[in-house]
Amino acid sequence: MKIEEQKEIVSGFKHLELLANQVVEGFISGMHKSPFHGFSAEFAEHKVYNAGESTKHIDWKLFAKTDRLYTKKFEEETNLRCHIIIDNSSSMHYPKLKNDELFFHNKIGFSVLASAVLMNLLKKQRDAVGLSVYSDTYEYYAPEKGSDRHHRMILNKLEDLLENPKESKSTDTITFLHQIAEKIHRRSMIILFTDMFQTGNQEALFNALQHLKHNKHKVVVFHVIDKKTEINFNFDNAPRKFIDLETGEQINVFADTIKEAYEEKVNAYFKTLAMTCAQNKIKYVPVAVEESFEKILTTYLVEKQMFG
């Protein structure tokens, strides 16, 4: 895609919304290959049947097709409330994009489009969505609502994150997750996009994530990474200067001399994150900017079914 076309896509909420809709429609069209076969395109008509519930509204035709029990869901029933949180620190604006690269091939662009994709699906399901954005400050907060005007406002903010990146912003994840937790009073699904670049006490970080779970909220953490360089450390053997995007700290190294030790530490860190999240009943999902959005949509649908 040419840079002019890329700019056109992100030049307004209608274009971001259009791109998100294309992702969702493509996912829906492929659902016959997924465990969600049998759902309508709107997804709002059915929910998983739980043992002990009335059988009055079971969809027997759908049972015949899927061999699974679903009940018909009506508009007057309470719909899902979802609060999306985006880490907008400088490290999330990595890697620096070349002129011919798509905007969602860095971490913040991926997170923005993934959020717009989830919003599109939430809108189809007539669910309420809210948004928080943080870095070294609590940059933005919008409560959970379902109106078209509210969706447009949030899409405009998402677009702004792409068009107006700020330099050298550190991350204060712990402080702002606690503040966000205090703002969400009604039971919600909370979805966090972050690269988990948080200095300091890991226990304090998980305490903040646990705080998000108060009031019986469900928490999903999408750990956003650039797999090529942040996991596999694929750099050539030339001397390189690595710069911390948040602190400005620099180090000069030959990448191949530290590649093995680096990858071991990163893999150990990921395992610790996954294990600790599992222990705290937080859904932890690593996602790479090189990947499609299918993992995000599938995770959302599975977690929504479990959320009830």
Side-chain angles (χ1 to χ4, degrees), residues 220-239:
V220 180
V221 176
F222 287 116
H223 184 178
V224 187
I225 53 173
D226 177 67
K227 190 173 183 178
K228 179 180 178 182
T229 58
E230 292 184 324
I231 303 300
N232 299 330
F233 210 63
N234 287 344
F235 294 96
D236 57 36
N237 193 31

PDB file of all heavy atoms in Angstrom, residues 220-239:
ATOM      1  N   VAL A 220      -8.510  -9.091  30.332  1.00  0.00           N
ATOM      2  CA  VAL A 220      -7.763  -9.718  29.247  1.00  0.00           C
ATOM      3  C   VAL A 220      -6.579  -8.816  28.916  1.00  0.00           C
ATOM      4  O   VAL A 220      -6.755  -7.626  28.623  1.00  0.00           O
ATOM      5  CB  VAL A 220      -8.631  -9.901  27.987  1.00  0.00           C
ATOM      6  CG1 VAL A 220      -7.812 -10.561  26.867  1.00  0.00           C
ATOM      7  CG2 VAL A 220      -9.876 -10.722  28.296  1.00  0.00           C
ATOM      8  N   VAL A 221      -5.364  -9.361  28.975  1.00  0.00           N
ATOM      9  CA  VAL A 221      -4.155  -8.602  28.648  1.00  0.00           C
ATOM     10  C   VAL A 221      -3.615  -9.082  27.311  1.00  0.00           C
ATOM     11  O   VAL A 221      -3.219 -10.249  27.178  1.00  0.00           O
ATOM     12  CB  VAL A 221      -3.073  -8.768  29.735  1.00  0.00           C
ATOM     13  CG1 VAL A 221      -1.794  -8.040  29.325  1.00  0.00           C
ATOM     14  CG2 VAL A 221      -3.573  -8.253  31.079  1.00  0.00           C
ATOM     15  N   PHE A 222      -3.629  -8.197  26.323  1.00  0.00           N
ATOM     16  CA  PHE A 222      -2.978  -8.482  25.044  1.00  0.00           C
ATOM     17  C   PHE A 222      -1.571  -7.875  25.103  1.00  0.00           C
ATOM     18  O   PHE A 222      -1.403  -6.655  25.108  1.00  0.00           O
ATOM     19  CB  PHE A 222      -3.770  -7.897  23.873  1.00  0.00           C
ATOM     20  CG  PHE A 222      -5.031  -8.645  23.562  1.00  0.00           C
ATOM     21  CD1 PHE A 222      -6.275  -8.037  23.706  1.00  0.00           C
ATOM     22  CD2 PHE A 222      -4.984  -9.953  23.113  1.00  0.00           C
ATOM     23  CE1 PHE A 222      -7.443  -8.727  23.428  1.00  0.00           C
ATOM     24  CE2 PHE A 222      -6.150 -10.660  22.831  1.00  0.00           C
ATOM     25  CZ  PHE A 222      -7.384 -10.042  22.980  1.00  0.00           C
ATOM     26  N   HIS A 223      -0.579  -8.754  25.189  1.00  0.00           N
ATOM     27  CA  HIS A 223       0.824  -8.334  25.268  1.00  0.00           C
ATOM     28  C   HIS A 223       1.330  -8.145  23.842  1.00  0.00           C
ATOM     29  O   HIS A 223       1.585  -9.099  23.127  1.00  0.00           O
ATOM     30  CB  HIS A 223       1.631  -9.404  26.012  1.00  0.00           C
ATOM     31  CG  HIS A 223       3.061  -9.042  26.237  1.00  0.00           C
ATOM     32  ND1 HIS A 223       3.932  -9.855  26.920  1.00  0.00           N
ATOM     33  CD2 HIS A 223       3.788  -7.942  25.877  1.00  0.00           C
ATOM     34  CE1 HIS A 223       5.123  -9.296  26.962  1.00  0.00           C
ATOM     35  NE2 HIS A 223       5.063  -8.141  26.324  1.00  0.00           N
ATOM     36  N   VAL A 224       1.466  -6.883  23.431  1.00  0.00           N
ATOM     37  CA  VAL A 224       1.766  -6.542  22.034  1.00  0.00           C
ATOM     38  C   VAL A 224       3.279  -6.471  21.828  1.00  0.00           C
ATOM     39  O   VAL A 224       3.984  -5.763  22.550  1.00  0.00           O
ATOM     40  CB  VAL A 224       1.121  -5.200  21.646  1.00  0.00           C
ATOM     41  CG1 VAL A 224       1.293  -4.947  20.155  1.00  0.00           C
ATOM     42  CG2 VAL A 224      -0.363  -5.186  22.017  1.00  0.00           C
ATOM     43  N   ILE A 225       3.759  -7.209  20.819  1.00  0.00           N
ATOM     44  CA  ILE A 225       5.203  -7.301  20.586  1.00  0.00           C
ATOM     45  C   ILE A 225       5.520  -7.223  19.107  1.00  0.00           C
ATOM     46  O   ILE A 225       4.676  -7.502  18.249  1.00  0.00           O
ATOM     47  CB  ILE A 225       5.766  -8.631  21.135  1.00  0.00           C
ATOM     48  CG1 ILE A 225       4.956  -9.805  20.568  1.00  0.00           C
ATOM     49  CG2 ILE A 225       5.773  -8.650  22.649  1.00  0.00           C
ATOM     50  CD1 ILE A 225       5.510 -11.172  20.901  1.00  0.00           C
ATOM     51  N   ASP A 226       6.765  -6.824  18.805  1.00  0.00           N
ATOM     52  CA  ASP A 226       7.319  -6.974  17.465  1.00  0.00           C
ATOM     53  C   ASP A 226       8.183  -8.229  17.507  1.00  0.00           C
ATOM     54  O   ASP A 226       9.303  -8.208  18.016  1.00  0.00           O
ATOM     55  CB  ASP A 226       8.141  -5.748  17.076  1.00  0.00           C
ATOM     56  CG  ASP A 226       8.783  -5.901  15.708  1.00  0.00           C
ATOM     57  OD1 ASP A 226       8.041  -5.942  14.708  1.00  0.00           O
ATOM     58  OD2 ASP A 226      10.033  -6.005  15.635  1.00  0.00           O
ATOM     59  N   LYS A 227       7.639  -9.313  17.028  1.00  0.00           N
ATOM     60  CA  LYS A 227       8.270 -10.626  17.226  1.00  0.00           C
ATOM     61  C   LYS A 227       9.656 -10.711  16.603  1.00  0.00           C
ATOM     62  O   LYS A 227      10.579 -11.298  17.180  1.00  0.00           O
ATOM     63  CB  LYS A 227       7.367 -11.720  16.643  1.00  0.00           C
ATOM     64  CG  LYS A 227       7.795 -13.136  16.996  1.00  0.00           C
ATOM     65  CD  LYS A 227       6.751 -14.148  16.529  1.00  0.00           C
ATOM     66  CE  LYS A 227       7.136 -15.550  16.953  1.00  0.00           C
ATOM     67  NZ  LYS A 227       6.113 -16.541  16.540  1.00  0.00           N
ATOM     68  N   LYS A 228       9.819 -10.103  15.438  1.00  0.00           N
ATOM     69  CA  LYS A 228      11.081 -10.222  14.700  1.00  0.00           C
ATOM     70  C   LYS A 228      12.258  -9.713  15.508  1.00  0.00           C
ATOM     71  O   LYS A 228      13.329 -10.346  15.545  1.00  0.00           O
ATOM     72  CB  LYS A 228      10.976  -9.461  13.375  1.00  0.00           C
ATOM     73  CG  LYS A 228      12.238  -9.500  12.532  1.00  0.00           C
ATOM     74  CD  LYS A 228      12.052  -8.727  11.240  1.00  0.00           C
ATOM     75  CE  LYS A 228      13.327  -8.722  10.424  1.00  0.00           C
ATOM     76  NZ  LYS A 228      13.175  -7.923   9.173  1.00  0.00           N
ATOM     77  N   THR A 229      12.103  -8.571  16.166  1.00  0.00           N
ATOM     78  CA  THR A 229      13.235  -7.963  16.862  1.00  0.00           C
ATOM     79  C   THR A 229      13.149  -8.069  18.377  1.00  0.00           C
ATOM     80  O   THR A 229      14.173  -8.149  19.057  1.00  0.00           O
ATOM     81  CB  THR A 229      13.365  -6.472  16.481  1.00  0.00           C
ATOM     82  OG1 THR A 229      12.143  -5.783  16.813  1.00  0.00           O
ATOM     83  CG2 THR A 229      13.634  -6.320  14.995  1.00  0.00           C
ATOM     84  N   GLU A 230      11.943  -8.074  18.945  1.00  0.00           N
ATOM     85  CA  GLU A 230      11.823  -8.077  20.395  1.00  0.00           C
ATOM     86  C   GLU A 230      11.841  -9.487  20.978  1.00  0.00           C
ATOM     87  O   GLU A 230      12.171  -9.660  22.149  1.00  0.00           O
ATOM     88  CB  GLU A 230      10.541  -7.361  20.824  1.00  0.00           C
ATOM     89  CG  GLU A 230      10.576  -5.865  20.540  1.00  0.00           C
ATOM     90  CD  GLU A 230       9.351  -5.139  21.055  1.00  0.00           C
ATOM     91  OE1 GLU A 230       8.244  -5.714  21.013  1.00  0.00           O
ATOM     92  OE2 GLU A 230       9.496  -3.982  21.477  1.00  0.00           O
ATOM     93  N   ILE A 231      11.496 -10.485  20.175  1.00  0.00           N
ATOM     94  CA  ILE A 231      11.523 -11.871  20.648  1.00  0.00           C
ATOM     95  C   ILE A 231      12.693 -12.623  20.028  1.00  0.00           C
ATOM     96  O   ILE A 231      13.516 -13.217  20.719  1.00  0.00           O
ATOM     97  CB  ILE A 231      10.199 -12.598  20.324  1.00  0.00           C
ATOM     98  CG1 ILE A 231       9.026 -11.840  20.932  1.00  0.00           C
ATOM     99  CG2 ILE A 231      10.251 -14.036  20.841  1.00  0.00           C
ATOM    100  CD1 ILE A 231       9.084 -11.711  22.426  1.00  0.00           C
ATOM    101  N   ASN A 232      12.781 -12.595  18.715  1.00  0.00           N
ATOM    102  CA  ASN A 232      13.819 -13.356  18.017  1.00  0.00           C
ATOM    103  C   ASN A 232      15.138 -12.602  17.871  1.00  0.00           C
ATOM    104  O   ASN A 232      16.154 -13.175  17.495  1.00  0.00           O
ATOM    105  CB  ASN A 232      13.320 -13.773  16.628  1.00  0.00           C
ATOM    106  CG  ASN A 232      12.088 -14.662  16.712  1.00  0.00           C
ATOM    107  OD1 ASN A 232      11.915 -15.403  17.671  1.00  0.00           O
ATOM    108  ND2 ASN A 232      11.222 -14.585  15.711  1.00  0.00           N
ATOM    109  N   PHE A 233      15.116 -11.287  18.155  1.00  0.00           N
ATOM    110  CA  PHE A 233      16.319 -10.442  18.110  1.00  0.00           C
ATOM    111  C   PHE A 233      17.076 -10.609  16.796  1.00  0.00           C
ATOM    112  O   PHE A 233      18.282 -10.854  16.758  1.00  0.00           O
ATOM    113  CB  PHE A 233      17.228 -10.769  19.304  1.00  0.00           C
ATOM    114  CG  PHE A 233      18.035  -9.586  19.777  1.00  0.00           C
ATOM    115  CD1 PHE A 233      17.415  -8.462  20.282  1.00  0.00           C
ATOM    116  CD2 PHE A 233      19.421  -9.606  19.715  1.00  0.00           C
ATOM    117  CE1 PHE A 233      18.153  -7.367  20.719  1.00  0.00           C
ATOM    118  CE2 PHE A 233      20.170  -8.525  20.149  1.00  0.00           C
ATOM    119  CZ  PHE A 233      19.531  -7.397  20.659  1.00  0.00           C
ATOM    120  N   ASN A 234      16.337 -10.486  15.702  1.00  0.00           N
ATOM    121  CA  ASN A 234      16.912 -10.686  14.374  1.00  0.00           C
ATOM    122  C   ASN A 234      17.558  -9.402  13.850  1.00  0.00           C
ATOM    123  O   ASN A 234      16.951  -8.604  13.156  1.00  0.00           O
ATOM    124  CB  ASN A 234      15.824 -11.146  13.391  1.00  0.00           C
ATOM    125  CG  ASN A 234      15.417 -12.585  13.632  1.00  0.00           C
ATOM    126  OD1 ASN A 234      16.122 -13.319  14.302  1.00  0.00           O
ATOM    127  ND2 ASN A 234      14.287 -12.977  13.090  1.00  0.00           N
ATOM    128  N   PHE A 235      18.811  -9.211  14.228  1.00  0.00           N
ATOM    129  CA  PHE A 235      19.602  -8.104  13.718  1.00  0.00           C
ATOM    130  C   PHE A 235      20.859  -8.674  13.079  1.00  0.00           C
ATOM    131  O   PHE A 235      21.318  -9.772  13.424  1.00  0.00           O
ATOM    132  CB  PHE A 235      20.005  -7.153  14.851  1.00  0.00           C
ATOM    133  CG  PHE A 235      18.836  -6.434  15.483  1.00  0.00           C
ATOM    134  CD1 PHE A 235      18.253  -6.919  16.648  1.00  0.00           C
ATOM    135  CD2 PHE A 235      18.327  -5.278  14.918  1.00  0.00           C
ATOM    136  CE1 PHE A 235      17.186  -6.266  17.245  1.00  0.00           C
ATOM    137  CE2 PHE A 235      17.254  -4.614  15.492  1.00  0.00           C
ATOM    138  CZ  PHE A 235      16.688  -5.101  16.653  1.00  0.00           C
ATOM    139  N   ASP A 236      21.448  -7.923  12.130  1.00  0.00           N
ATOM    140  CA  ASP A 236      22.685  -8.401  11.499  1.00  0.00           C
ATOM    141  C   ASP A 236      23.855  -8.208  12.465  1.00  0.00           C
ATOM    142  O   ASP A 236      23.699  -7.723  13.591  1.00  0.00           O
ATOM    143  CB  ASP A 236      22.932  -7.688  10.166  1.00  0.00           C
ATOM    144  CG  ASP A 236      22.985  -6.171  10.317  1.00  0.00           C
ATOM    145  OD1 ASP A 236      23.500  -5.691  11.349  1.00  0.00           O
ATOM    146  OD2 ASP A 236      22.500  -5.464   9.414  1.00  0.00           O
ATOM    147  N   ASN A 237      25.049  -8.570  11.994  1.00  0.00           N
ATOM    148  CA  ASN A 237      26.225  -8.584  12.868  1.00  0.00           C
ATOM    149  C   ASN A 237      26.939  -7.238  12.935  1.00  0.00           C
ATOM    150  O   ASN A 237      28.003  -7.129  13.538  1.00  0.00           O
ATOM    151  CB  ASN A 237      27.208  -9.672  12.403  1.00  0.00           C
ATOM    152  CG  ASN A 237      28.275  -9.953  13.435  1.00  0.00           C
ATOM    153  OD1 ASN A 237      28.028  -9.821  14.633  1.00  0.00           O
ATOM    154  ND2 ASN A 237      29.471 -10.310  12.984  1.00  0.00           N
ATOM    155  N   ALA A 238      26.365  -6.202  12.331  1.00  0.00           N
ATOM    156  CA  ALA A 238      26.997  -4.879  12.378  1.00  0.00           C
ATOM    157  C   ALA A 238      26.855  -4.293  13.782  1.00  0.00           C
ATOM    158  O   ALA A 238      25.911  -4.615  14.500  1.00  0.00           O
ATOM    159  CB  ALA A 238      26.334  -3.954  11.361  1.00  0.00           C
ATOM    160  N   PRO A 239      27.808  -3.441  14.194  1.00  0.00           N
ATOM    161  CA  PRO A 239      27.656  -2.780  15.504  1.00  0.00           C
ATOM    162  C   PRO A 239      26.417  -1.896  15.503  1.00  0.00           C
ATOM    163  O   PRO A 239      26.155  -1.183  14.533  1.00  0.00           O
ATOM    164  CB  PRO A 239      28.941  -1.951  15.629  1.00  0.00           C
ATOM    165  CG  PRO A 239      29.442  -1.788  14.233  1.00  0.00           C
ATOM    166  CD  PRO A 239      29.022  -3.014  13.493  1.00  0.00           C
TER     167      PRO A 239
END
